[in-house]
């Protein structure tokens, strides 16, 4: 915020929490990226690393929660400040859930005997991964800059994610009917696509939080 | 905890037949703000006033136990109380500038303790004190005006400038913001935060929110007893004692 408080501690403490959110967000994006790599090329060691990093992400969520709780107890924020102090709790929880989906993607990918790279459902799922990673990166920027227009654009892009998810589902179903012996692979692909669809939804939730910080309006309630 | 700068051991204080403090053991760290909180009559102000022997001024008051500042026993017979109070300054609830000019208010302590050897040095130290108290820019061109011509918040910062002019080691504050509006309070709170790098600060406040905002350690008193002391962040998020929890959440007091 441009207007600094007379008492600088609130801003300093809040900025530290914001830094943690960005750190956590970047780690989550990297997890999605690596999970997508595992989806395309089986790599057991990478899956193990992803699972370990997810524990680190869970710890970051708890740390952010603790810092926000302390900020509220010690600095008694009001109005915009209160929303700024509460939002890290919600945003970190969304990032933590996104982290879970990245982990789940990696573990499910590991079950695929051979990554069916040439399948349409796989190609669409990879496209979804790229899209949600960009959305996440953009929403972290929107959060940092309190940019609600950028947040609105991120929310709008989720329609593309949903559209791709439907396309992946249809492609998966076609695959099953054409080659029933590979039904299990196609079900995995459909569920992998759904993981990214869920990531998109959590990203939209973060975008709503950004909107609420700035305006005080709860988009979920008014939807 | 690092070595305490102020150490109270088995402190009992009586006003005549009434006992105000019971067996207080409290360590106060250097360069931190320690807040003493608790309901009226809990003994927090009594303890604060014991640190620079302000209670000596009350005839029926009796101190028992030990209180050391920087390893020196405050209640040793040889202690010069005037010198002690130069080392342990105090800021009161109501701003109480002397009926003198802004300049003279700050120069007063320097004069009686003979801490400036020349007029130039005196001027420098007055300026330094007013700058340290965040007041210089507001009064630099009106140093000859009476101290009580300033606003309440400015008067309180003038009192803080007067206190730090003699370069004490400890600053005691007894409800320093209770007569100030929220903006003047925020200015003084920010000042307190900046002063702690050079001084050990002990503050009594009725405002738990203020204690939470400005202190690093908090001690909760109830009926003359020290109930809990710890890092402020812990006391206000996860107090260990039920009485503390009840007080800070507005259930007793």
């Amino acid at each position: 915020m441009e207007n600094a408080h007379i008492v600088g501690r609130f801003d300093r403490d809040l900025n530290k929490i914001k830094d943690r959110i960005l750190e956590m967000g970047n780690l989550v994006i990297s997890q999605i990226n690596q999970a997508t790599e595992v989806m395309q090329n089986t790599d057991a060691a990478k899956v193990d690393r992803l699972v370990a990093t997810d524990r680190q992400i869970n710890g970051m969520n708890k740390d952010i929660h603790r810092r926000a709780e302390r900020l509220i107890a010690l600095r008694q924020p009001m109005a915009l400040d209160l929303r700024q102090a509460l939002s890290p709790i919600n945003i970190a929880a969304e990032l933590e859930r996104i982290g879970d989906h990245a982990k789940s993607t990696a573990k499910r990918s590991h079950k695929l005997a051979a990554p069916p790279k040439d399948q349409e459902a796989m190609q669409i799922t990879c496209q979804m991964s790229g899209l949600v990673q960009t959305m996440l990166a953009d929403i972290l920027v929107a959060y940092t800059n309190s940019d609600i227009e950028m947040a609105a654009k991120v929310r709008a892009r989720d329609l593309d994610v949903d559209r791709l998810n439907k396309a992946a589902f249809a492609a998966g179903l076609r695959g099953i009917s054409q080659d029933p012996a590979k039904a299990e692979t196609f079900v995995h692909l459909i569920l992998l696509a759904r993981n990214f669809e869920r990531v998109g939804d959590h990203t939209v939730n973060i975008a709503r939080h950004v909107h609420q910080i700035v305006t005080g309006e709860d988009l979920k309630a008014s939807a | 905890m690092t070595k305490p700068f102020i150490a109270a051991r088995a402190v009992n204080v009586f006003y005549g037949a009434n006992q105000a403090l019971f067996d207080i053991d409290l360590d106060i760290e250097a360069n931190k703000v320690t807040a003493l909180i608790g309901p009226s009559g809990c003994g927090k102000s009594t303890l604060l006033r014991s640190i620079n022997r302000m209670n000596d001024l009350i005839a029926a008051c009796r101190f028992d136990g030990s209180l050391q500042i920087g390893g020196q026993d405050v209640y040793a017979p040889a202690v010069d109380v005037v010198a002690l109070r130069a080392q342990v300054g105090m800021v009161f609830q109501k701003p109480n500038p002397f009926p003198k000019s802004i300049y003279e208010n700050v120069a007063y302590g320097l004069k009686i303790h003979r801490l400036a050897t020349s007029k130039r040095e005196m001027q420098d130290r007055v300026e330094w004190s007013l700058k340290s108290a965040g007041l210089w820019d507001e009064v630099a061109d009106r140093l000859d005006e009476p101290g009580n011509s300033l606003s309440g918040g400015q008067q309180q910062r003038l009192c803080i400038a007067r206190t730090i002019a003699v370069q004490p080691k400890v600053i005691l504050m007894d409800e320093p913001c209770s007569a100030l509006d929220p903006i003047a309070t925020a200015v003084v709170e920010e000042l307190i935060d900046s002063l702690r790098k050079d001084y050990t600060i002990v503050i009594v406040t009725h405002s738990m929110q203020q204690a939470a905002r400005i202190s690093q350690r908090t001690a909760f008193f109830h009926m003359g007893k020290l109930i809990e002391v710890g890092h402020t962040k812990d006391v206000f998020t996860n107090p260990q004692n039920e009485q503390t929890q009840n007080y800070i959440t507005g259930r007793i007091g």
Side-chain angles (χ1 to χ4, degrees):
Chain A
M1 294 290 117
E2 311 84 46
N3 297 327
H5 292 86
I6 296 166
V7 177
R9 292 289 294 275
F10 177 80
D11 295 318
R12 289 198 290 276
D13 291 352
L14 180 67
N15 285 336
K16 272 188 204 157
I17 299 178
K18 281 186 160 181
D19 288 345
R20 293 289 164 125
I21 290 274
L22 296 184
E23 199 183 326
M24 185 179 179
N26 286 326
L27 196 53
V28 165
I29 293 171
S30 148
Q31 288 280 93
I32 297 174
N33 190 31
Q34 290 185 54
T36 310
E37 285 172 15
V38 171
M39 203 166 75
Q40 295 165 294
N41 296 297
T42 311
D43 183 342
K46 198 176 254 181
V47 175
D48 289 344
R49 280 201 301 276
L50 269 157
V51 171
T53 305
D54 189 59
R55 279 196 289 275
Q56 190 189 337
I57 289 170
N58 295 347
M60 291 170 111
N61 178 34
K62 284 183 188 151
D63 176 63
I64 288 166
H65 193 115
R66 200 164 41 241
R67 284 167 182 269
E69 181 182 280
R70 198 182 295 163
L71 180 72
I72 293 165
L74 302 188
R75 311 271 168 243
Q76 305 107 37
M78 300 290 168
L80 169 68
D81 293 345
L82 179 60
R83 297 197 295 275
Q84 297 231 56
L86 283 169
S87 63
I89 295 174
N90 294 319
I91 293 174
E94 301 288 352
L95 290 173
E96 192 269 334
R97 294 292 295 126
I98 295 173
D100 288 345
H101 286 302
K103 181 179 74 174
S104 154
T105 299
K107 286 167 91 172
R108 184 173 295 284
S109 300
H110 200 52
K111 289 179 186 165
L112 292 169
K117 287 186 204 172
D118 53 341
Q119 291 297 336
E120 191 190 358
M122 170 64 98
Q123 285 155 5
I124 296 170
T125 306
C126 289
Q127 216 183 324
M128 290 172 78
S129 169
L131 190 52
V132 296
Q133 287 179 57
T134 315
M135 285 166 66
L136 257 173
D138 285 354
I139 203 56
L140 292 175
V141 174
Y143 170 62
T144 308
N145 300 335
S146 298
D147 185 341
I148 57 171
E149 283 174 25
M150 194 170 186
K153 284 180 187 156
V154 170
R155 292 204 312 275
R157 264 188 280 162
D158 190 48
L159 293 174
D160 293 335
V161 179
D162 290 346
R163 189 176 46 74
L164 287 171
N165 183 42
K166 280 180 188 143
F169 184 81
L173 278 189
R174 273 198 305 280
I176 292 170
S177 61
Q178 285 163 7
D179 191 354
K182 286 188 180 164
E184 190 180 332
T185 298
F186 286 112
V187 170
H188 279 310
L189 284 177
I190 287 171
L191 293 174
L192 285 169
R194 202 188 61 175
N195 270 349
F196 292 107
E197 187 270 331
R198 296 293 300 130
V199 171
D201 288 349
H202 288 296
T203 309
V204 166
N205 287 345
I206 298 174
R208 287 184 178 134
H209 290 306
V210 171
H211 181 87
Q212 189 170 12
I213 294 167
V214 178
T215 66
E217 181 193 9
D218 181 356
L219 289 172
K220 209 156 194 177
S222 57
Chain B
M1 179 168 161
T2 53
K3 198 169 177 290
F5 188 60
I6 303 174
R9 291 288 177 274
V11 167
N12 290 278
V13 176
F14 303 82
Y15 294 115
N18 292 327
Q19 188 163 358
L21 286 175
F22 296 83
D23 287 323
I24 305 297
D25 288 333
L26 178 65
D27 288 339
I28 292 171
E29 286 178 67
N31 302 111
K32 292 218 160 94
V33 179
T34 299
L36 311 182
I37 63 166
S40 295
C42 70
K44 57 189 186 295
S45 292
T46 298
L47 181 67
L48 188 80
R49 298 164 72 89
S50 297
I51 297 173
N52 69 346
R53 294 184 54 172
M54 288 289 283
N55 285 333
D56 288 10
L57 304 171
I58 301 168
C61 186
R62 182 162 66 82
F63 177 96
D64 187 39
S66 142
L67 204 154
Q68 293 192 337
I69 298 178
Q72 302 293 310
D73 190 349
V74 169
Y75 284 84
V79 167
D80 174 353
V81 177
V82 174
L84 169 73
R85 289 183 193 143
Q87 291 295 298
V88 187
M90 194 155 191
V91 177
F92 296 88
Q93 183 170 4
K94 198 167 173 297
N96 55 349
F98 302 134
K100 293 171 181 288
S101 70
I102 293 166
Y103 183 91
E104 286 298 324
N105 260 280
V106 182
Y108 183 80
L110 297 168
K111 284 180 184 164
I112 61 166
H113 292 291
R114 296 199 170 88
L115 291 172
T117 51
S118 66
K119 193 177 174 193
R120 180 61 199 264
E121 192 185 352
M122 180 71 77
Q123 285 169 342
D124 287 348
R125 289 190 67 160
V126 168
E127 182 176 333
W128 173 85
S129 306
L130 287 166
K131 280 181 174 164
S132 301
L135 192 59
W136 177 253
D137 291 343
E138 293 160 61
V139 300
D141 57 354
R142 49 194 282 211
L143 293 173
D144 294 335
E145 290 181 23
N148 57 18
S149 67
L150 298 171
S151 73
Q154 289 172 325
Q155 286 186 30
Q156 196 60 303
R157 282 182 282 143
L158 178 63
C159 293
I160 292 172
R162 186 177 69 190
T163 302
I164 58 181
V166 296
Q167 294 187 312
K169 294 193 169 74
V170 179
I171 304 175
L172 307 177
M173 297 186 164
D174 193 354
E175 300 254 15
C177 301
S178 64
L180 306 183
D181 70 37
I183 298 299
T185 296
V187 173
V188 171
E189 286 183 0
E190 183 67 359
L191 171 60
I192 291 170
D193 194 51
S194 71
L195 289 175
R196 77 180 163 90
K197 69 177 190 299
D198 298 315
Y199 308 94
T200 300
I201 298 173
V202 188
I203 180 168
V204 159
T205 174
H206 269 298
S207 162
M208 288 174 282
Q209 290 76 12
Q210 181 171 60
R213 286 194 299 269
I214 64 171
S215 70
Q216 286 71 53
R217 288 177 64 81
T218 295
F220 170 60
F221 291 79
H222 189 55
M223 296 180 76
K225 291 179 179 149
L226 176 60
I227 305 298
E228 180 167 351
V229 59
H231 293 292
T232 297
K233 64 182 192 303
D234 296 330
V235 171
F236 283 94
T237 55
N238 191 20
Q240 298 303 300
N241 187 285
E242 198 182 340
Q243 277 179 292
T244 316
Q245 168 111 323
N246 286 340
Y247 182 69
I248 64 169
T249 57
R251 289 174 166 83
I252 57 161

